[in-house]
Amino acid sequence: MTVITAEGLRKSYGQHEAVRGIDLEVRAGEVFAFLGPNGAGKTTTVEILEGYRDPTVGKVQVLGADPAHADGGWRARIGVMLQTWQVEPTLTVRESLAQFAGYYPRPLPVEDVVRLVGLEAQRDTRAGRLSGGQQRRLDMGIALVGDPELLFLDEPTTGFDPAARRGAWQIIAALRDAGKTVLLTTHYLDEAQALADRVAILVDGRIRTEGPPDSLVAGHATRITFRHPHGVELPALPERVEISDGRVELRSHEPLPLVHTLTTWAVQNGVDLADFEVRRPSLEDVYLDLTTAPQAQP
Ligand code: ATP
């Protein structure tokens, strides 16, 4: 079942076209991640899907309705974690969650949400006195408290310490296991790789590539790097050799024979291949290739 569809979505702010023709389909029960540089149009797109902004052009359906004209019943089925702080600073963690729980017909028990987001020790702390990371956890709790079918999480783990990030990942994975659909924006590529069933990389308001992280990565070469051995000529290799800052880099789709050639040559000639590294491609390689390559003009 499709939960989100967008066709030919465009959004202009005055002369600036922030979203330039996005087509999208998100299925029930998947975690879908939007990646892209600052200003790529992720938040604008997500806010259109949430019904907080109207598109300039295009059609959108979310949970069977046009978000711009959806009713309260529709809103009760979605949970939203915005980048901006939406909590009254004088309310405690429990009071804030209880306030938002009141907007939903079948909310989760507040204490369960407090535990889920790891704020047990802060349950009676006023929101304004929480640390930045704790405030983001409260934001996540607010998105969850209505037990929504569809969650929009905009940069959910920004400001989290490493343990809290792992905790948030577990929460998101558990939500997916419970059959919820999650649309996530993030700048953490490891987060997308760990959580997302599919990712879309946005650049300049357009989706440049989309698919499961592993399939996007599959087309990319493995990187082999080592420190350039002083005063030694490298063996002839079929791959292009790049040397910068004293490091040699080779990229190959078949790294095993290359590693064999290099290491055999090094052992036979007594050459030390210092800092020798073989690195499988990651989502970060795909992302950097797409976002740092020169862009076609519209
Ligand atoms: P980030 O990663 O920094 O959150 P983003 O991909 O979410 O970025 P958007 O916030 O959607 O990007 O912004 C896309 C473009 O639209 C940017 O150039 C931004 O300056 C512009 N923009 C966003 N909101 C508005 C607004 N309310 N008025 C005018 N321009 C806006």
Side-chain angles (χ1 to χ4, degrees):
M1 199 186 83
T2 305
V3 170
I4 298 174
T5 41
E7 283 172 40
L9 202 63
R10 291 177 177 270
K11 175 72 185 177
S12 296
Y13 297 110
Q15 292 295 305
H16 178 63
E17 194 172 35
V19 174
R20 303 177 179 204
I22 284 186
D23 298 315
L24 190 68
E25 236 186 64
V26 179
R27 295 184 283 271
E30 72 176 340
V31 176
F32 189 96
F34 267 139
L35 306 173
N38 293 131
K42 303 179 296 294
T43 300
T44 301
T45 305
V46 170
E47 287 181 354
I48 292 170
L49 301 175
E50 292 165 347
Y52 292 138
R53 282 190 195 282
D54 287 334
T56 312
V57 182
K59 275 201 275 184
V60 187
Q61 283 263 311
V62 177
L63 292 171
D66 174 356
H69 303 104
D71 59 13
W74 178 87
R75 196 146 284 284
R77 296 167 67 198
I78 69 166
V80 173
M81 182 174 176
L82 300 170
Q83 275 187 45
T84 47
W85 181 234
Q86 48 181 334
V87 177
E88 175 59 51
T90 56
L91 295 183
T92 67
V93 165
R94 264 199 301 199
E95 288 165 349
S96 311
L97 289 168
Q99 182 194 33
F100 280 86
Y103 303 149
Y104 292 92
R106 283 174 300 280
L108 296 172
V110 164
E111 279 303 329
D112 288 2
V113 179
V114 168
R115 261 196 308 279
L116 203 60
V117 296
L119 286 175
E120 295 97 317
Q122 291 80 25
R123 56 160 63 82
D124 294 316
T125 304
R126 290 188 199 287
R129 292 186 168 267
L130 297 173
S131 73
Q134 289 164 349
Q135 288 179 349
R136 290 305 281 155
R137 290 199 228 177
L138 178 53
D139 280 337
M140 185 176 270
I142 287 167
L144 296 176
V145 73
D147 196 19
E149 289 166 53
L150 168 62
L151 273 134
F152 291 99
L153 306 177
D154 201 356
E155 297 185 23
T157 63
T158 298
F160 279 27
D161 65 53
R165 276 185 77 211
R166 293 294 160 144
W169 291 7
Q170 281 169 4
I171 296 171
I172 295 167
L175 290 167
R176 181 191 44 210
D177 294 345
K180 314 282 186 193
T181 309
V182 179
L183 196 142
L184 168 80
T185 73
T186 182
H187 287 295
Y188 299 117
L189 299 166
D190 56 343
E191 184 161 295
Q193 182 126 29
L195 290 175
D197 298 298
R198 287 191 299 142
V199 302
I201 300 180
L202 256 80
V203 182
D204 276 345
R206 294 190 182 94
I207 293 179
R208 291 290 304 274
T209 191
E210 186 195 317
D214 286 347
S215 76
L216 297 185
V217 166
H220 277 248
T222 295
R223 259 175 230 248
I224 297 167
T225 57
F226 51 90
R227 226 179 310 143
H228 194 283
H230 233 45
V232 179
E233 196 168 329
L234 295 174
L237 297 165
E239 284 75 11
R240 198 157 70 91
V241 179
E242 283 179 28
I243 302 172
S244 94
D245 290 339
R247 283 191 76 75
V248 179
E249 179 176 311
L250 297 131
R251 293 184 186 207
S252 174
H253 290 280
E254 287 183 32
L256 203 61
L258 182 58
V259 170
H260 178 73
T261 306
L262 276 168
T263 50
T264 307
W265 166 82
V267 170
Q268 283 174 352
N269 293 281
V271 177
D272 178 21
L273 294 182
D275 299 338
F276 188 81
E277 237 178 60
V278 180
R279 200 161 62 78
R280 275 166 38 81
S282 68
L283 198 53
E284 187 169 351
D285 297 308
V286 178
Y287 179 90
L288 289 175
D289 278 358
L290 284 173
T291 56
T292 56
Q295 298 302 304
Q297 291 306 305

